[in-house]
Amino acid sequence: AMSSVAAHHLSARPAVARRTTLSRRTAGDRAPVRTRVRSPAVVAADTENLPANLKKIVSAFQMVPDAMQRYKQLLFFAAKLKGFDEADRVDDNKVPGCVSQVWVVPRIEDGLVYFTADSDSQLTKGLAALLVEGLSGSTPKEIMAVEPNFVELLGLGQSLTPSRTNGFMNMLRLMQKKTLEAYVAAEAAAKE
């Protein structure tokens, strides 16, 4: 049996995509060919602490073998993003450090957080929509527990530039910050 301290330590570790490198020789090769293989057990462990909706999205992206098809999936998410209130396009809702303009707004209903978002770029809108769909309907605690490096599990490395990846992580951080602010405000209002 694992002690509660050890269990907490393991659950608090960042969910980093772990890979195993295997070597194999092919008929005409003189040197081994290096292939990266991801163990299904490792993937399951990495998604374990994600909210249910985000876990489904990660699984859907992992089932798509082609980088271009995953990129098209992002654009599909962008098309699903619902309208955004013009009054919410303010600096307080804007994601800092993002190449494109991105805005996110949370609301809390019955203890669950729901987001709206928008962007001036289709790709970034797709990334925002992925987070909106993946995080909406979760508790504040679940949202705060999401590690930014879960993006590695989506397999979008070939499709995203480092600045887009950084912007995606900034979106998540702002959504977490705004979740905490909305939760504190809701708790304060409930005590009045």
Side-chain angles (χ1 to χ4, degrees):
M2 190 181 316
S3 75
S4 62
V5 172
H8 172 72
H9 175 71
L10 287 175
S11 67
R13 288 179 25 210
V16 176
R18 295 167 196 88
R19 297 174 187 255
T20 306
T21 303
L22 302 175
S23 296
R24 64 177 168 81
R25 290 191 182 271
T26 59
D29 291 341
R30 294 185 191 275
V33 175
R34 316 257 321 144
T35 309
R36 291 183 179 234
V37 178
R38 185 182 297 226
S39 161
V42 171
V43 171
D46 288 342
T47 60
E48 187 176 302
N49 293 324
L50 295 179
N53 290 340
L54 192 55
K55 197 180 295 189
K56 286 178 194 170
I57 291 169
V58 168
S59 294
F61 270 82
Q62 288 175 342
M63 291 189 328
V64 178
D66 180 56
M68 184 54 79
Q69 290 301 324
R70 286 190 295 270
Y71 182 85
K72 287 179 180 176
Q73 241 180 322
L74 269 183
L75 298 179
F76 172 73
F77 271 94
K80 290 176 27 176
L81 202 57
K82 300 203 178 8
F84 191 78
D85 190 343
E86 285 297 318
D88 288 330
R89 290 180 200 273
V90 296
D91 285 344
D92 189 49
N93 296 331
K94 194 172 177 183
V95 176
C98 196
V99 174
S100 303
Q101 295 189 79
V102 184
W103 300 269
V104 295
V105 177
R107 74 181 190 285
I108 295 183
E109 291 179 13
D110 300 323
L112 300 178
V113 184
Y114 298 89
F115 289 96
T116 57
D118 198 16
S119 177
D120 61 353
S121 155
Q122 281 302 103
L123 177 61
T124 310
K125 188 181 271 197
L127 292 169
L130 185 152
L131 287 173
V132 165
E133 190 168 317
L135 298 177
S136 289
S138 302
T139 65
K141 184 177 179 180
E142 289 171 323
I143 292 169
M144 299 308 292
V146 175
E147 294 288 338
N149 56 4
F150 90 90
V151 68
E152 296 170 17
L153 299 173
L154 294 167
L156 293 169
Q158 295 173 349
S159 301
L160 300 179
T161 62
S163 62
R164 290 267 192 230
T165 302
N166 187 50
F168 183 67
M169 294 200 189
N170 287 342
M171 275 184 238
L172 174 62
R173 286 185 195 107
L174 182 63
M175 291 171 98
Q176 289 174 323
K177 176 183 178 231
K178 294 188 95 33
T179 293
L180 189 57
E181 290 170 355
Y183 174 75
V184 169
E187 288 294 303
K191 290 179 182 177
E192 290 179 1

